[in-house]
Amino acid sequence: MNLQDLYYYVSTIKEVRVIGREFSAYGRDYALVGLVNTNESTELVFLEYDERCADNDCCSEPENMTNREFALADKDIQKGFSDLLNEVVIGNNRFNTQGSHGSSLDCGMDSDIYVIAEFMKQGWISEKFFDYPPECVFVDFIELEEKIENLSQLDLSCQIRLITYEVCKDEFPDIKLDLPIEQDIDKTVSLFDGEEEICIKRVHLVDLSEEESIYKGDIQRICPKNMRVPVIEYTCNGECCFEISLSSYLDGIFGDECNGFNTDDGVVGIAIGMPSIEDEKFYTIQQAVNADSKHIECEIIRCTKEIKNPDIREFLI
């Protein structure tokens, strides 16, 4: 860490208040360390212990991982408390959460570790977590939807209610598709055990040079001459999100290319809308193909939908 970074981390932390309560949930141990106010937000700070990480090297990625393997990396991950926390009740105050971030203790971000040090200066200590191996401990920051301007206004001596539930569910269907170009298709694909269906109507090849919404300086890099971007026209019977990638991309080595287009400003994703009848939608595949392609081999590798009646759990700590 250089001194400029250290100064930035120090200056962004405006206030911390220790809570210091420990509990177990979802097969893991947790410590609610406290609340921190930064320049931008109020965050709950948790420590999470997961003994299953002892045999995993969380700081390294497997060599020669394919894009398919990377896309499926979350398939067998069991969500923990910090992934599922959606509401926090402190006294008469109820807060919704909006996003989280964090890192493992042994590979931790300097900024994350500095926040924990601030709580230690205010008296936080934990015999249990101090004894856990650092590779099994994670620092989790969960942002509250509403910033609390003064943490002293909260009575942290009362019981705190933490409400967890899953808002979305994922499926990894690994559906392979061989789709003709510019032909009527009407191919129905079932997702989530038939709860959702999409009907693929047609595949269009789009020349980005004719798209006014795309920055002209990026076009040659995103879609070189004699290349086109596939756009899938479809209808659906519900609301779900899905990812379609070319099979050739999924079989490629992760890191050699990204599921998007490289530009001087980084990786960008594009979405192309086309004139259509009502209720038809479009999905832009983020890889270009030859302009004379007659078909594309692609796959639905992952899809997500909202859970309408979630399983709600409450923890009083």
Side-chain angles (χ1 to χ4, degrees):
M1 180 195 302
N2 60 46
L3 290 178
Q4 286 185 333
D5 289 339
L6 177 60
Y7 178 79
Y8 174 78
Y9 298 145
V10 172
S11 64
T12 56
I13 299 174
K14 300 304 180 185
E15 182 184 13
V16 300
R17 285 198 67 192
V18 173
I19 297 176
R21 298 180 196 172
E22 298 180 6
F23 61 101
S24 296
Y26 300 98
R28 306 172 199 180
D29 290 342
Y30 292 90
L32 174 50
V33 180
L35 283 161
V36 58
N37 257 353
T38 68
N39 289 335
E40 304 296 332
S41 62
T42 300
E43 295 175 323
L44 284 165
V45 182
F46 287 87
L47 292 181
E48 174 188 292
Y49 168 65
D50 187 350
E51 62 181 359
R52 294 168 298 182
C53 296
D55 298 327
N56 298 329
D57 186 355
C58 64
C59 295
S60 64
E61 294 176 349
E63 293 185 3
N64 297 323
M65 174 185 280
T66 65
N67 288 309
R68 185 189 311 280
E69 290 170 329
F70 182 79
L72 297 175
D74 294 342
K75 184 176 182 178
D76 298 319
I77 290 180
Q78 295 180 352
K79 292 183 179 180
F81 183 86
S82 56
D83 302 307
L84 302 173
L85 180 61
N86 284 281
E87 299 177 50
V88 179
V89 181
I90 305 174
N92 295 322
N93 301 283
R94 179 182 290 264
F95 305 97
N96 294 324
T97 64
Q98 58 169 23
S100 64
H101 65 93
S103 58
S104 66
L105 200 59
D106 65 333
C107 303
M109 300 286 290
D110 292 331
S111 56
D112 296 351
I113 303 304
Y114 184 80
V115 175
I116 297 298
E118 283 294 303
F119 282 106
M120 290 179 176
K121 288 168 59 179
Q122 297 298 322
W124 176 79
I125 191 171
S126 168
E127 293 182 4
K128 181 188 292 187
F129 274 83
F130 279 25
D131 290 338
Y132 287 147
E135 67 270 17
C136 297
V137 177
F138 295 83
V139 187
D140 296 321
F141 296 83
I142 300 178
E143 183 179 347
L144 302 184
E145 194 172 66
E146 177 185 350
K147 182 177 180 181
I148 305 168
E149 294 300 331
N150 187 350
L151 297 181
S152 64
Q153 72 187 57
L154 298 176
D155 179 10
L156 299 181
S157 65
C158 65
Q159 276 194 316
I160 296 175
R161 182 183 303 166
L162 306 173
I163 302 170
T164 64
Y165 50 89
E166 198 163 12
V167 296
C168 294
K169 66 177 179 179
D170 298 322
E171 183 180 75
F172 300 83
D174 196 19
I175 298 173
K176 295 178 172 57
L177 301 168
D178 189 344
L179 303 177
I181 302 297
E182 298 296 355
Q183 296 182 27
D184 292 334
I185 300 174
D186 286 332
K187 180 177 180 60
T188 299
V189 178
S190 295
L191 304 173
F192 296 104
D193 297 323
E195 294 177 7
E196 307 288 344
E197 285 186 348
I198 62 172
C199 182
I200 298 175
K201 311 294 288 186
R202 200 173 183 89
V203 177
H204 306 271
L205 294 186
V206 176
D207 184 351
L208 290 191
S209 66
E210 299 176 358
E211 291 292 310
E212 296 182 358
S213 60
I214 307 297
Y215 174 57
K216 300 304 180 183
D218 289 336
I219 287 179
Q220 184 59 32
R221 189 176 292 105
I222 293 174
C223 189
K225 186 177 180 181
N226 297 324
M227 300 290 283
R228 301 290 185 268
V229 173
V231 177
I232 295 179
E233 181 181 351
Y234 71 97
T235 58
C236 60
N237 68 339
E239 291 294 334
C240 68
C241 300
F242 54 87
E243 298 176 17
I244 303 181
S245 297
L246 297 181
S247 297
S248 57
Y249 163 79
L250 293 171
D251 292 334
I253 300 300
F254 174 69
D256 290 349
E257 54 182 331
C258 301
N259 196 11
F261 296 101
N262 287 312
T263 71
D264 291 339
D265 296 323
V267 179
V268 299
I270 62 172
I272 300 173
M274 303 180 66
S276 66
I277 62 173
E278 189 176 357
D279 297 329
E280 289 189 347
K281 300 181 179 182
F282 299 92
Y283 182 91
T284 304
I285 293 180
Q286 304 295 310
Q287 299 98 41
V289 301
N290 290 326
D292 59 357
S293 297
K294 302 302 181 184
H295 70 105
I296 57 171
E297 294 181 357
C298 54
E299 301 176 35
I300 301 178
I301 198 74
R302 182 173 187 164
C303 51
T304 303
K305 68 173 295 185
E306 181 181 353
I307 298 175
K308 295 182 179 179
N309 298 299
D311 178 21
I312 298 175
R313 297 180 63 183
E314 293 191 3
F315 299 84
L316 286 175
I317 63 170

